[in-house]
mmCIF file of all heavy atoms in Angstrom:
data_model
loop_
_atom_site.group_PDB
_atom_site.id
_atom_site.type_symbol
_atom_site.label_atom_id
_atom_site.label_comp_id
_atom_site.label_asym_id
_atom_site.label_seq_id
_atom_site.Cartn_x
_atom_site.Cartn_y
_atom_site.Cartn_z
ATOM 1 N N GLY A 55 -9.992 -39.104 -8.130
ATOM 2 C CA GLY A 55 -9.193 -40.290 -7.901
ATOM 3 C C GLY A 55 -9.978 -41.315 -7.120
ATOM 4 O O GLY A 55 -11.152 -41.142 -6.818
ATOM 5 N N GLY A 56 -9.330 -42.389 -6.753
ATOM 6 C CA GLY A 56 -10.009 -43.477 -6.069
ATOM 7 C C GLY A 56 -10.053 -43.323 -4.569
ATOM 8 O O GLY A 56 -9.398 -42.463 -3.981
ATOM 9 N N THR A 57 -10.856 -44.165 -3.960
ATOM 10 C CA THR A 57 -10.935 -44.250 -2.512
ATOM 11 C C THR A 57 -10.778 -45.708 -2.125
ATOM 12 O O THR A 57 -11.100 -46.601 -2.902
ATOM 13 C CB THR A 57 -12.283 -43.723 -1.977
ATOM 14 O OG1 THR A 57 -13.327 -44.493 -2.551
ATOM 15 C CG2 THR A 57 -12.484 -42.262 -2.323
ATOM 16 N N ALA A 58 -10.277 -45.948 -0.938
ATOM 17 C CA ALA A 58 -10.109 -47.310 -0.438
ATOM 18 C C ALA A 58 -10.177 -47.269 1.071
ATOM 19 O O ALA A 58 -9.917 -46.242 1.689
ATOM 20 C CB ALA A 58 -8.770 -47.888 -0.890
ATOM 21 N N SER A 59 -10.517 -48.397 1.662
ATOM 22 C CA SER A 59 -10.570 -48.459 3.111
ATOM 23 C C SER A 59 -9.163 -48.297 3.683
ATOM 24 O O SER A 59 -8.224 -48.940 3.231
ATOM 25 C CB SER A 59 -11.154 -49.801 3.566
ATOM 26 O OG SER A 59 -11.191 -49.846 4.975
ATOM 27 N N PRO A 60 -9.010 -47.438 4.686
ATOM 28 C CA PRO A 60 -7.697 -47.230 5.299
ATOM 29 C C PRO A 60 -7.400 -48.245 6.404
ATOM 30 O O PRO A 60 -6.861 -47.898 7.442
ATOM 31 C CB PRO A 60 -7.810 -45.816 5.856
ATOM 32 C CG PRO A 60 -9.256 -45.663 6.180
ATOM 33 C CD PRO A 60 -10.002 -46.481 5.145
ATOM 34 N N SER A 61 -7.753 -49.492 6.185
ATOM 35 C CA SER A 61 -7.646 -50.521 7.223
ATOM 36 C C SER A 61 -6.285 -50.579 7.900
ATOM 37 O O SER A 61 -6.197 -50.778 9.095
ATOM 38 C CB SER A 61 -7.964 -51.893 6.637
ATOM 39 O OG SER A 61 -9.299 -51.936 6.233
ATOM 40 N N PHE A 62 -5.220 -50.434 7.147
ATOM 41 C CA PHE A 62 -3.904 -50.572 7.746
ATOM 42 C C PHE A 62 -3.269 -49.232 8.093
ATOM 43 O O PHE A 62 -2.441 -49.146 8.971
ATOM 44 C CB PHE A 62 -2.989 -51.399 6.834
ATOM 45 C CG PHE A 62 -3.489 -52.791 6.668
ATOM 46 C CD1 PHE A 62 -4.178 -53.169 5.531
ATOM 47 C CD2 PHE A 62 -3.334 -53.730 7.680
ATOM 48 C CE1 PHE A 62 -4.671 -54.452 5.389
ATOM 49 C CE2 PHE A 62 -3.836 -55.014 7.549
ATOM 50 C CZ PHE A 62 -4.495 -55.369 6.395
ATOM 51 N N GLY A 63 -3.682 -48.167 7.426
ATOM 52 C CA GLY A 63 -3.114 -46.858 7.695
ATOM 53 C C GLY A 63 -3.944 -46.029 8.648
ATOM 54 O O GLY A 63 -3.569 -44.915 8.972
ATOM 55 N N ILE A 64 -5.074 -46.505 9.063
ATOM 56 C CA ILE A 64 -6.033 -45.862 9.967
ATOM 57 C C ILE A 64 -6.760 -44.689 9.324
ATOM 58 O O ILE A 64 -7.954 -44.544 9.467
ATOM 59 C CB ILE A 64 -5.422 -45.447 11.320
ATOM 60 C CG1 ILE A 64 -4.848 -46.677 12.035
ATOM 61 C CG2 ILE A 64 -6.453 -44.774 12.203
ATOM 62 C CD1 ILE A 64 -4.118 -46.349 13.318
ATOM 63 N N VAL A 65 -6.041 -43.821 8.587
ATOM 64 C CA VAL A 65 -6.711 -42.677 7.946
ATOM 65 C C VAL A 65 -6.189 -42.506 6.521
ATOM 66 O O VAL A 65 -5.003 -42.655 6.261
ATOM 67 C CB VAL A 65 -6.515 -41.374 8.767
ATOM 68 C CG1 VAL A 65 -5.060 -40.982 8.867
ATOM 69 C CG2 VAL A 65 -7.344 -40.234 8.184
ATOM 70 N N ASN A 66 -7.109 -42.234 5.612
ATOM 71 C CA ASN A 66 -6.779 -41.840 4.247
ATOM 72 C C ASN A 66 -7.264 -40.414 4.055
ATOM 73 O O ASN A 66 -8.338 -40.047 4.533
ATOM 74 C CB ASN A 66 -7.470 -42.723 3.208
ATOM 75 C CG ASN A 66 -6.807 -44.074 3.049
ATOM 76 O OD1 ASN A 66 -5.705 -44.310 3.530
ATOM 77 N ND2 ASN A 66 -7.489 -44.976 2.379
ATOM 78 N N GLU A 67 -6.480 -39.628 3.356
ATOM 79 C CA GLU A 67 -6.887 -38.276 2.992
ATOM 80 C C GLU A 67 -7.131 -38.262 1.487
ATOM 81 O O GLU A 67 -6.278 -38.672 0.707
ATOM 82 C CB GLU A 67 -5.799 -37.264 3.335
ATOM 83 C CG GLU A 67 -6.174 -35.850 2.949
ATOM 84 C CD GLU A 67 -5.115 -34.826 3.315
ATOM 85 O OE1 GLU A 67 -4.396 -35.022 4.307
ATOM 86 O OE2 GLU A 67 -5.014 -33.817 2.591
ATOM 87 N N TYR A 68 -8.305 -37.813 1.107
ATOM 88 C CA TYR A 68 -8.660 -37.659 -0.291
ATOM 89 C C TYR A 68 -8.768 -36.164 -0.571
ATOM 90 O O TYR A 68 -8.907 -35.360 0.345
ATOM 91 C CB TYR A 68 -10.003 -38.331 -0.606
ATOM 92 C CG TYR A 68 -10.138 -39.742 -0.081
ATOM 93 C CD1 TYR A 68 -11.190 -40.078 0.751
ATOM 94 C CD2 TYR A 68 -9.218 -40.734 -0.411
ATOM 95 C CE1 TYR A 68 -11.334 -41.377 1.232
ATOM 96 C CE2 TYR A 68 -9.355 -42.028 0.061
ATOM 97 C CZ TYR A 68 -10.416 -42.344 0.881
ATOM 98 O OH TYR A 68 -10.555 -43.621 1.361
ATOM 99 N N ARG A 69 -8.756 -35.789 -1.841
ATOM 100 C CA ARG A 69 -8.900 -34.393 -2.243
ATOM 101 C C ARG A 69 -10.031 -34.264 -3.247
ATOM 102 O O ARG A 69 -10.149 -35.062 -4.167
ATOM 103 C CB ARG A 69 -7.613 -33.869 -2.884
ATOM 104 C CG ARG A 69 -6.466 -33.736 -1.927
ATOM 105 C CD ARG A 69 -6.593 -32.453 -1.183
ATOM 106 N NE ARG A 69 -5.634 -32.368 -0.085
ATOM 107 C CZ ARG A 69 -5.512 -31.310 0.676
ATOM 108 N NH1 ARG A 69 -6.267 -30.265 0.479
ATOM 109 N NH2 ARG A 69 -4.654 -31.294 1.656
ATOM 110 N N THR A 70 -10.852 -33.242 -3.037
ATOM 111 C CA THR A 70 -11.914 -32.965 -3.990
ATOM 112 C C THR A 70 -11.304 -32.231 -5.189
ATOM 113 O O THR A 70 -10.143 -31.786 -5.137
ATOM 114 C CB THR A 70 -13.011 -32.082 -3.367
ATOM 115 O OG1 THR A 70 -12.451 -30.793 -3.092
ATOM 116 C CG2 THR A 70 -13.571 -32.707 -2.099
ATOM 117 N N ALA A 71 -12.091 -32.071 -6.234
ATOM 118 C CA ALA A 71 -11.634 -31.326 -7.411
ATOM 119 C C ALA A 71 -11.272 -29.893 -7.024
ATOM 120 O O ALA A 71 -10.408 -29.280 -7.651
ATOM 121 C CB ALA A 71 -12.703 -31.341 -8.495
ATOM 122 N N GLY A 72 -11.880 -29.361 -5.972
ATOM 123 C CA GLY A 72 -11.570 -28.024 -5.465
ATOM 124 C C GLY A 72 -10.426 -28.016 -4.468
ATOM 125 O O GLY A 72 -10.199 -27.031 -3.780
ATOM 126 N N ASP A 73 -9.724 -29.146 -4.351
ATOM 127 C CA ASP A 73 -8.563 -29.328 -3.462
ATOM 128 C C ASP A 73 -8.905 -29.267 -1.978
ATOM 129 O O ASP A 73 -8.073 -28.940 -1.151
ATOM 130 C CB ASP A 73 -7.447 -28.332 -3.798
ATOM 131 C CG ASP A 73 -6.089 -28.839 -3.316
ATOM 132 O OD1 ASP A 73 -5.854 -30.070 -3.354
ATOM 133 O OD2 ASP A 73 -5.268 -28.013 -2.860
ATOM 134 N N GLU A 74 -10.153 -29.581 -1.626
ATOM 135 C CA GLU A 74 -10.554 -29.664 -0.216
ATOM 136 C C GLU A 74 -10.272 -31.078 0.293
ATOM 137 O O GLU A 74 -10.574 -32.060 -0.389
ATOM 138 C CB GLU A 74 -12.041 -29.361 -0.055
ATOM 139 C CG GLU A 74 -12.387 -27.905 -0.220
ATOM 140 C CD GLU A 74 -11.831 -27.053 0.907
ATOM 141 O OE1 GLU A 74 -11.925 -27.459 2.084
ATOM 142 O OE2 GLU A 74 -11.301 -25.974 0.608
ATOM 143 N N PRO A 75 -9.726 -31.215 1.497
ATOM 144 C CA PRO A 75 -9.489 -32.558 2.030
ATOM 145 C C PRO A 75 -10.772 -33.214 2.547
ATOM 146 O O PRO A 75 -11.681 -32.539 3.020
ATOM 147 C CB PRO A 75 -8.511 -32.323 3.179
ATOM 148 C CG PRO A 75 -8.797 -30.924 3.625
ATOM 149 C CD PRO A 75 -9.226 -30.171 2.390
ATOM 150 N N VAL A 76 -10.814 -34.520 2.423
ATOM 151 C CA VAL A 76 -11.861 -35.364 2.994
ATOM 152 C C VAL A 76 -11.113 -36.490 3.697
ATOM 153 O O VAL A 76 -10.230 -37.115 3.103
ATOM 154 C CB VAL A 76 -12.795 -35.940 1.903
ATOM 155 C CG1 VAL A 76 -13.798 -36.909 2.517
ATOM 156 C CG2 VAL A 76 -13.509 -34.823 1.161
ATOM 157 N N TYR A 77 -11.456 -36.744 4.959
ATOM 158 C CA TYR A 77 -10.740 -37.749 5.751
ATOM 159 C C TYR A 77 -11.608 -38.984 5.972
ATOM 160 O O TYR A 77 -12.782 -38.871 6.298
ATOM 161 C CB TYR A 77 -10.311 -37.157 7.093
ATOM 162 C CG TYR A 77 -9.466 -35.915 6.933
ATOM 163 C CD1 TYR A 77 -9.949 -34.671 7.298
ATOM 164 C CD2 TYR A 77 -8.190 -35.995 6.387
ATOM 165 C CE1 TYR A 77 -9.183 -33.525 7.145
ATOM 166 C CE2 TYR A 77 -7.408 -34.858 6.223
ATOM 167 C CZ TYR A 77 -7.914 -33.626 6.601
ATOM 168 O OH TYR A 77 -7.152 -32.493 6.440
ATOM 169 N N HIS A 78 -10.996 -40.152 5.818
ATOM 170 C CA HIS A 78 -11.682 -41.438 5.957
ATOM 171 C C HIS A 78 -10.883 -42.286 6.950
ATOM 172 O O HIS A 78 -9.738 -42.635 6.692
ATOM 173 C CB HIS A 78 -11.755 -42.112 4.582
ATOM 174 C CG HIS A 78 -12.391 -43.448 4.571
ATOM 175 N ND1 HIS A 78 -12.354 -44.254 3.463
ATOM 176 C CD2 HIS A 78 -13.068 -44.150 5.511
ATOM 177 C CE1 HIS A 78 -12.988 -45.386 3.711
ATOM 178 N NE2 HIS A 78 -13.413 -45.340 4.964
ATOM 179 N N PHE A 79 -11.510 -42.601 8.071
ATOM 180 C CA PHE A 79 -10.864 -43.368 9.140
ATOM 181 C C PHE A 79 -11.442 -44.774 9.209
ATOM 182 O O PHE A 79 -12.642 -44.961 9.029
ATOM 183 C CB PHE A 79 -11.125 -42.706 10.508
ATOM 184 C CG PHE A 79 -10.553 -41.340 10.636
ATOM 185 C CD1 PHE A 79 -11.276 -40.232 10.222
ATOM 186 C CD2 PHE A 79 -9.298 -41.147 11.180
ATOM 187 C CE1 PHE A 79 -10.769 -38.954 10.329
ATOM 188 C CE2 PHE A 79 -8.771 -39.870 11.296
ATOM 189 C CZ PHE A 79 -9.509 -38.772 10.870
ATOM 190 N N ASP A 80 -10.593 -45.734 9.501
ATOM 191 C CA ASP A 80 -11.029 -47.099 9.808
ATOM 192 C C ASP A 80 -10.370 -47.461 11.139
ATOM 193 O O ASP A 80 -9.166 -47.679 11.210
ATOM 194 C CB ASP A 80 -10.589 -48.067 8.714
ATOM 195 C CG ASP A 80 -11.112 -49.477 8.939
ATOM 196 O OD1 ASP A 80 -11.296 -49.877 10.117
ATOM 197 O OD2 ASP A 80 -11.328 -50.188 7.956
ATOM 198 N N LEU A 81 -11.170 -47.486 12.195
ATOM 199 C CA LEU A 81 -10.642 -47.716 13.550
ATOM 200 C C LEU A 81 -10.808 -49.159 14.008
ATOM 201 O O LEU A 81 -10.655 -49.451 15.188
ATOM 202 C CB LEU A 81 -11.343 -46.760 14.528
ATOM 203 C CG LEU A 81 -11.313 -45.279 14.144
ATOM 204 C CD1 LEU A 81 -11.978 -44.444 15.227
ATOM 205 C CD2 LEU A 81 -9.906 -44.796 13.855
ATOM 206 N N TYR A 82 -11.079 -50.064 13.093
ATOM 207 C CA TYR A 82 -11.373 -51.458 13.414
ATOM 208 C C TYR A 82 -10.294 -52.118 14.271
ATOM 209 O O TYR A 82 -10.597 -52.841 15.203
ATOM 210 C CB TYR A 82 -11.567 -52.253 12.119
ATOM 211 C CG TYR A 82 -11.908 -53.702 12.327
ATOM 212 C CD1 TYR A 82 -13.174 -54.067 12.768
ATOM 213 C CD2 TYR A 82 -10.974 -54.704 12.082
ATOM 214 C CE1 TYR A 82 -13.501 -55.401 12.962
ATOM 215 C CE2 TYR A 82 -11.295 -56.037 12.268
ATOM 216 C CZ TYR A 82 -12.563 -56.383 12.709
ATOM 217 O OH TYR A 82 -12.876 -57.695 12.905
ATOM 218 N N ARG A 83 -9.045 -51.876 13.964
ATOM 219 C CA ARG A 83 -7.944 -52.568 14.642
ATOM 220 C C ARG A 83 -7.498 -51.904 15.946
ATOM 221 O O ARG A 83 -6.655 -52.435 16.653
ATOM 222 C CB ARG A 83 -6.761 -52.690 13.703
ATOM 223 C CG ARG A 83 -7.010 -53.698 12.608
ATOM 224 C CD ARG A 83 -5.853 -53.786 11.633
ATOM 225 N NE ARG A 83 -6.018 -54.888 10.717
ATOM 226 C CZ ARG A 83 -6.918 -54.972 9.759
ATOM 227 N NH1 ARG A 83 -7.789 -54.004 9.615
ATOM 228 N NH2 ARG A 83 -6.977 -56.004 8.959
ATOM 229 N N LEU A 84 -8.045 -50.741 16.260
ATOM 230 C CA LEU A 84 -7.624 -50.043 17.470
ATOM 231 C C LEU A 84 -8.307 -50.628 18.703
ATOM 232 O O LEU A 84 -9.473 -50.984 18.667
ATOM 233 C CB LEU A 84 -7.935 -48.551 17.372
ATOM 234 C CG LEU A 84 -7.252 -47.800 16.230
ATOM 235 C CD1 LEU A 84 -7.551 -46.313 16.344
ATOM 236 C CD2 LEU A 84 -5.761 -48.046 16.207
ATOM 237 N N LYS A 85 -7.568 -50.691 19.776
ATOM 238 C CA LYS A 85 -8.092 -51.243 21.027
ATOM 239 C C LYS A 85 -8.411 -50.170 22.051
ATOM 240 O O LYS A 85 -9.174 -50.395 22.971
ATOM 241 C CB LYS A 85 -7.065 -52.215 21.638
ATOM 242 C CG LYS A 85 -6.649 -53.330 20.727
ATOM 243 C CD LYS A 85 -7.759 -54.327 20.533
ATOM 244 C CE LYS A 85 -7.301 -55.484 19.686
ATOM 245 N NZ LYS A 85 -8.047 -55.676 18.479
ATOM 246 N N ASP A 86 -7.792 -48.993 21.906
ATOM 247 C CA ASP A 86 -7.899 -47.964 22.930
ATOM 248 C C ASP A 86 -7.869 -46.584 22.287
ATOM 249 O O ASP A 86 -7.136 -46.363 21.313
ATOM 250 C CB ASP A 86 -6.709 -48.126 23.886
ATOM 251 C CG ASP A 86 -6.822 -47.242 25.094
ATOM 252 O OD1 ASP A 86 -6.547 -46.037 24.958
ATOM 253 O OD2 ASP A 86 -7.168 -47.753 26.172
#
Side-chain angles (χ1 to χ4, degrees):
T57 59
S59 180
S61 295
F62 297 101
I64 301 175
V65 62
N66 283 348
E67 179 179 330
Y68 312 124
R69 291 278 171 177
T70 66
D73 203 35
E74 286 292 316
V76 175
Y77 304 111
H78 178 190
F79 297 87
D80 184 330
L81 307 183
Y82 181 73
R83 288 178 171 69
L84 299 185
K85 304 289 183 239
D86 188 282

